[in-house]
């Protein structure tokens, strides 16, 4: 079964600073990968998804971008963080549109 | 896009009680999952259940796809069942749409 790693676990960044969150997957190949954000402890919002290397689809316009440089690596980035980027970021992995599994998440606080 | 509504938003029960959580969705789906988010934020898969009934220990779930709802049953609640329960739906590789969750508190 697949294992999803995310780092860092927590991050405190000043407004205007850059961001890079990393997600890696073990135990599977060619997965669909997803970034979600959870704000205020309720409800997850899909940010990006990828069905393959270099293929990124965005669900909402925002201050963030995503990249997939390798089959099992998914990166979430920002050039300049906003206060509203604070939240809990979760990476997920799915196969063929069925069950999605989630990583442990990264808590981001922008001050 | 598809709408997902969960009820109740909050539920407080005594240990040993049974509970039923409901998820209504606005369109047909290929994927429906129930998750439990623990106090550390980890989303734990409970069921993948786009239709039919499944059981796992004290938990069971039923999805009636034609009527666009799913139910999660928790029997003989324990304090470790506390947390937020999410229903999420989707289709294909497009990701999941989550409900706002049910915040369950089990008191000893």
């Amino acid at each position: 079964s697949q294992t999803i790693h995310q780092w860092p676990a927590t991050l405190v960044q000043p407004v205007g600073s850059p961001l890079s969150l990393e997600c890696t997957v073990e135990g599977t190949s060619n997965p669909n990968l997803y970034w979600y954000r959870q704000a205020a402890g309720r409800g997850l919002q899909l940010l990006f998804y990828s069905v393959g290397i270099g293929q990124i689809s965005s669900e909402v316009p925002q201050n963030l971008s995503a990249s997939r440089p390798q089959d099992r690596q998914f990166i979430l980035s920002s050039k300049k963080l906003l206060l509203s980027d604070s939240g809990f970021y979760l990476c997920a992995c799915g196969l063929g549109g069925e069950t999605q599994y989630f990583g442990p998440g990264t808590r981001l606080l922008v001050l | 896009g598809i709408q997902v509504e969960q009820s109740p938003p909050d539920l407080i029960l005594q240990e040993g009680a049974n509970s039923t959580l409901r998820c209504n969705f606005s369109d047909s789906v290929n994927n429906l999952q129930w998750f439990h988010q623990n106090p550390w934020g980890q989303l734990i898969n409970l069921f993948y259940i786009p239709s039919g009934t499944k059981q796992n220990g004290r938990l069971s779930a039923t999805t009636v796809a034609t009527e666009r709802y799913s139910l999660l049953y928790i029997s003989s609640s324990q304090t470790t069942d506390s947390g937020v329960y999410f229903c999420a739906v989707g289709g294909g590789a497009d990701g999941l749409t989550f409900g706002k969750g049910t915040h369950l508190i089990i008191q000893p």
Side-chain angles (χ1 to χ4, degrees):
Chain A
S1 63
Q2 62 272 17
T3 302
I4 303 170
H5 301 281
Q6 288 189 244
W7 63 88
T10 59
L11 191 60
V12 181
Q13 291 286 97
V15 169
S17 63
L19 174 74
S20 181
L21 303 181
E22 189 163 348
C23 168
T24 59
V25 180
E26 294 178 356
T28 186
S29 59
N30 197 30
N32 298 326
L33 296 176
Y34 307 86
W35 279 112
Y36 293 83
R37 177 169 61 196
Q38 184 178 30
R42 285 286 186 104
L44 281 76
Q45 178 187 34
L46 177 66
L47 301 177
F48 300 96
Y49 67 93
S50 171
V51 299
I53 296 174
Q55 301 179 59
I56 308 295
S57 297
S58 174
E59 285 296 302
V60 293
Q62 56 213 330
N63 184 42
L64 304 170
S65 62
S67 61
R68 185 170 178 176
Q70 301 180 42
D71 181 46
R72 289 173 287 179
Q73 183 185 30
F74 205 21
I75 297 172
L76 184 69
S77 303
S78 174
K79 292 182 179 178
K80 290 185 178 182
L81 284 168
L82 306 173
L83 288 174
S84 57
D85 291 324
S86 293
F88 188 44
Y89 289 83
L90 290 139
C91 178
C93 165
L95 295 173
E98 294 190 357
T99 305
Q100 288 190 22
Y101 295 91
F102 284 76
T106 295
R107 295 194 183 277
L108 172 65
L109 178 60
V110 183
L111 300 174
Chain B
I2 193 167
Q3 304 297 315
V4 182
E5 294 184 0
Q6 291 186 243
S7 59
D10 300 280
L11 186 59
I12 302 174
L13 298 172
Q14 293 297 120
E15 202 168 20
N18 301 328
S19 59
T20 301
L21 282 57
R22 187 177 179 100
C23 171
N24 293 332
F25 45 96
S26 61
D27 204 348
S28 59
V29 296
N30 298 324
N31 182 351
L32 188 147
Q33 293 183 237
W34 283 98
F35 296 91
H36 175 212
Q37 188 168 40
N38 65 21
W40 296 271
Q42 178 76 51
L43 276 172
I44 300 166
N45 291 64
L46 298 178
F47 295 102
Y48 167 77
I49 188 166
S51 64
T53 298
K54 290 185 177 180
Q55 182 162 4
N56 184 4
R58 295 182 295 104
L59 274 61
S60 63
T62 295
T63 297
V64 183
T66 54
E67 297 187 22
R68 299 178 184 168
Y69 73 88
S70 183
L71 302 174
L72 177 68
Y73 306 96
I74 305 174
S75 64
S76 304
S77 299
Q78 301 175 359
T79 56
T80 53
D81 294 331
S82 296
V84 183
Y85 289 81
F86 287 105
C87 168
V89 303
D94 295 348
L96 295 170
T97 299
F98 280 74
K100 293 184 178 181
T102 292
H103 188 192
L104 177 64
I105 297 174
I106 304 298
Q107 296 178 333

